[in-house]
Amino acid sequence: VEASIPEPQREAWKKFQAHGFRDKDEFERDTVRHVETTLARSMFNCDETAAYAATSLAFRDRLITQWNRTQQRQTFSDTKRIYYLSLEFLMGRALDNAMLNVGAKAIAKDGLADLGFRIEDIIAQEHDAALGNGGLGRLAACFLDSMASLNFPAWGYGLRYRYGIFKQEIVDGYQVEVPDYWLDFNPWEFPRHDIVVDIQFYGNVRKYQNDQGKNVVTWEGGEIVKAVAYDVPIPGFDTPSTNNLRLWSSKAASGEFDFQKFNSGDYESSVADQQRAETISAVLYPNDNLERGKELRLKQQYFWVAASLYDIVRRFKKSKRAWSEFPEQVAIQLNDTHPTLAIVELQRILIDLEGLEWDEAWKIVTKTFGYTNHTVLPEALEKWSVPLFQNLLPRHLQIIYEINLFFLQLVEKKFPKEREILGRVSIIEESQPKMVRMAYLAIVGSHKVNGVAELHSDLIKTTIFKDFVRIFGPDKFTNVTNGITPRRWLHQANPRLSELIASKTGGIGFLKDLTLLNELENFADDKEFKKEWAEIKYANKVRLAKHIKTTTGVTVNPAALFDIQVKRIHEYKRQQMNIFGVIHRYLTIKNMSAEERKKLAPRVSIFGGKAAPGYWMAKTIIHLVNSVGSVVNNDKDVGDLLKVIFLEDYNVSKAEMIIPASDISEHISTAGTEASGTSNMKFVLNGGLIIGTCDGANIEITREIGESNIFLFGNLAEDVEDLRHAHNYGDHSMDPDLVKVFEAIKSNMFGDAGSFGALVGAIEDHGDYYLVSDDFHSYIQTQELVDEAYKNQDEWISKCIQSVARMGFFSSDRCINEYAESIWNIEPLQPESKNGLPKSE
Ligand code: NTF
């Protein structure tokens, strides 16, 4: 407060305060100034990279002012804040988003044209911020956009990885991983060298009585690593509210290097210490739906959680409120179990550092946290070995044991006659070595637990967390179905469609209230509207076809049916079933007469997605897709009737181009395995239909858009267990069409069959855990229905329009409002004014 400028001098400040771009002259002046001063270049050496840099800096200046004002307002108003803790934020590019959210993209477009550039080329210069693996990380990014757009006082906390998810290259049909160093030039982050937190690892715990006879516990020794804050502004759409994403970067505690070691001549080891510290935030673990229990990963988790909590607690303490008011000021959402240590860390702060009694502290802790579960796959549920924990975080392990003790006492009291339940629900698994079950810890330490789609939320209650529903009662468990931000996934990715929709729904209001899309129902049979709709889809397909040509050399016909499956490669997502279906189609075409072939709808099967570097089966799937592609795409018999494409390096910015170009997309996981899925929502919102199983959010999409607008197939989640059981007891008759596909593979039709042996073997000989054979027949049949339906373009387009009209529910705004109301108990904070922002486009 002492730093505040006295009233009489404030007029001078106000005169020069930044505001949004009023016209393109302002934009051009700022951009040229950044080229000439910040970048020290001129019109004689301003390439697209420099133009991107200067444009971003011009927009960043505006964001920063809004960001400062938002933060000030949040501080002064002293309202409750939500803190979203996520180890992944898959943000993608920022410039396009900033221009649209600030509402000055048209100005920038004209301005850049004046200066000699095309805005698309400038946007394309930006490196994706790819600090995530897949759906979980992208969900966090959509949530940030919604929280800012809805004016919620919200902060994201994450890690500033030096390397995000690897870049995928395809070499001779195989995936090769290349490091993604993305920080060469990143105008969207602000290093806060003054916000540095010491983080402790290892060491020992000491218990003693102090002078007042009070029991004291201290955690001593070990090593210290520094956490440095980097802030990323998150602009809301059509509002000046700009929130903060704080990412922590690790740094050696001794500064540049250890001078003592240096002076004693041990220069090399002083550098090694520094490098070891910096390793903590060096790289994102590239596994989706899989945990591997590596010590460095646990270090990352504690480093990030401890720094974030220090920050949150410091902010709370400034308010001088009583500790009991903490949950009224602070809500913390745990994005999966990765930040579960935050529960333990807050308890430690309260009892060891702030001197609260255990019970009082624990009440505060459990009122503060909410936990979102994102998977039921056993291999993805986090467990940490007790010996590893003991070594790295000795005090935290003690606290976990204590939490467990009190919890098990409660269980015992509640179910005195059930001894077995204690072992089942214990936070400590009595295995060799013992393990800490993070999901159980997260449940015990939170006041709400939610799944991410209705089926998923039901499944967690009846399977993996069944006992906990009995212990805590059903009200602790709830559902919040995932959503996506229509700003990025419609307005930004598909500007022409967005414009067309705006022309029929009374402007761009639908981008803030997606239910307004239902106005489109009135146009599902409007001839003129449908023509424009079809033209836009075609143009999007032409754009993708060009990308396919330049990146793979294959020519595809934009009039063909584009069938797309883009997502992380995983056996449960069943890309193998898709490619087997493609082989089946190929064999069918080969057996057809010329007459029959004429009746067939031409199709382009498009795949994309990364395999975790150590996931051999997933890599084999990629290899098979490419091998099938090189045979099919060069077969003169087939021509345009079938093309098979693998798109390299699927990421957020590519998704923005790919998704608007789909006719049909595939969401075909084994029922009960995909918690929600979010790309299914993106595809439908962009006027594509989907083929899918009764899994995750597909079920709710069906409920919203209607059964006749979706191609559902396959076994239901409730039947999966029995089917698996049958396989294991030899009752596994293979689907005859699938057998033919396997015969083709084994005949070396797509190259050495040996390299695909494991893929076929998993189904033929190893229990077919993901039920590919069980679902294959209905999959093929349903694909035939797709072919038939696509031939009637008129009806097809009506289905697409009707579906889009009914997608309002899947906005991440709806989703965030549900979290705010049922979990966070938090209200939006309306901004003071629009502060000179131009009207949005
Ligand atoms: C993913 N979970 C699920 O697999 C997706 O179905 C879901 O859409 C997203 O979360 C977002 O909720 C994970 O990545 C994890 F880590 F939980 F396995």
Side-chain angles (χ1 to χ4, degrees), residues 423-664:
R424 285 206 307 270
V425 301
S426 172
I427 294 169
I428 305 297
E429 178 183 272
E430 294 294 327
S431 45
Q432 210 34 268
K434 289 185 179 150
M435 300 291 251
V436 183
R437 296 156 159 167
M438 300 306 268
Y440 293 2
L441 179 56
I443 296 171
V444 174
S446 303
H447 70 285
K448 284 272 177 191
V449 177
N450 77 285
V452 290
E454 273 175 22
L455 173 69
H456 170 66
S457 298
D458 285 345
L459 280 175
I460 62 177
K461 281 197 279 185
T462 51
T463 62
I464 56 176
F465 302 150
K466 192 169 145 202
D467 290 320
F468 292 87
V469 176
R470 292 181 61 214
I471 296 165
F472 292 112
D475 291 351
K476 179 158 178 166
F477 296 83
T478 180
N479 171 250
V480 184
T481 298
N482 282 168
I484 56 170
T485 169
R487 273 76 65 178
R488 183 176 294 259
W489 296 113
L490 181 52
H491 195 43
Q492 182 178 318
N494 204 342
R496 280 188 65 191
L497 191 65
S498 182
E499 206 181 309
L500 179 64
I501 293 171
S503 75
K504 300 294 183 200
T505 58
I508 56 152
F510 70 97
L511 292 169
K512 294 206 97 173
D513 175 3
L514 203 60
T515 61
L516 294 178
L517 283 177
N518 58 32
E519 289 290 312
L520 292 178
E521 293 259 6
N522 304 327
F523 299 90
D525 293 312
D526 181 313
K527 229 172 137 202
E528 194 48 37
F529 184 75
K530 284 168 79 172
K531 202 173 136 241
E532 286 181 57
W533 187 280
E535 270 168 23
I536 292 167
K537 178 60 77 182
Y538 190 78
N540 291 334
K541 289 169 74 178
V542 168
R543 180 171 65 158
L544 179 57
K546 276 192 192 138
H547 176 79
I548 291 173
K549 181 73 187 175
T550 50
T551 53
T552 69
V554 179
T555 309
V556 300
N557 177 4
L561 190 164
F562 278 20
D563 170 345
I564 305 183
Q565 188 177 18
V566 283
K567 50 182 86 237
R568 287 299 290 258
I569 312 293
H570 206 298
E571 286 163 279
Y572 88 81
K573 295 179 189 281
R574 298 201 294 191
Q575 284 94 351
Q576 71 275 40
M577 188 165 76
N578 185 345
I579 192 64
F580 295 152
V582 169
I583 295 173
H584 173 265
R585 179 173 291 261
Y586 176 61
L587 299 176
T588 311
I589 294 172
K590 293 292 276 186
N591 278 323
M592 277 177 165
S593 67
E595 276 310 299
E596 286 173 313
R597 282 180 192 163
K598 271 190 204 143
K599 288 186 222 143
L600 205 68
R603 211 184 253 245
V604 184
S605 271
I606 299 166
F607 295 77
K610 293 171 187 179
Y615 191 173
W616 191 64
M617 199 71 103
K619 289 182 149 179
T620 305
I621 295 174
I622 294 176
H623 182 214
L624 179 59
V625 172
N626 283 306
S627 303
V628 171
S630 52
V631 172
V632 172
N633 299 342
N634 296 303
D635 189 329
K636 294 270 177 317
D637 283 355
V638 175
D640 262 4
L641 287 182
L642 183 60
K643 291 279 182 256
V644 182
I645 304 296
F646 190 92
L647 291 172
E648 196 175 68
D649 198 39
Y650 179 61
N651 62 11
V652 171
S653 58
K654 293 206 176 78
E656 289 169 27
M657 179 211 5
I658 294 166
I659 291 171
S662 113
D663 293 307
I664 195 126

Side-chain angles (χ1 to χ4, degrees), residues 135-136 139 288-289 336 374-375 380 452 482 572 674-678:
L136 174 136
L139 185 75
D288 184 83
N289 267 289
D336 216 274
H374 295 268
T375 183
V452 290
N482 282 168
Y572 88 81
E674 188 72 278
S676 162
T678 42

Side-chain angles (χ1 to χ4, degrees), residues 13 25 42 67 69 118 169 172 182 201 207 231 276 281 294 299 303 313 356 363 375 402 422 589 712 718 759 826:
W13 284 77
D25 281 1
S42 72
W67 181 87
R69 285 185 193 143
R118 274 169 29 126
E169 285 178 8
D172 298 331
W182 68 292
F201 293 104
K207 294 191 180 182
D231 287 344
R276 200 153 45 90
S281 60
K294 290 268 170 53
K299 265 188 136 168
F303 170 82
V313 166
L356 271 66
K363 226 180 253 160
T375 183
E402 206 108 325
L422 297 178
I589 294 172
L712 286 181
E718 57 202 79
L759 210 48
I826 191 179

Side-chain angles (χ1 to χ4, degrees), residues 232-250:
V232 182
I234 307 293
F237 176 79
D238 194 32
T239 168
S241 292
T242 302
N243 281 339
N244 193 27
L245 168 60
R246 178 158 286 178
L247 302 175
W248 299 103
S249 180
S250 61

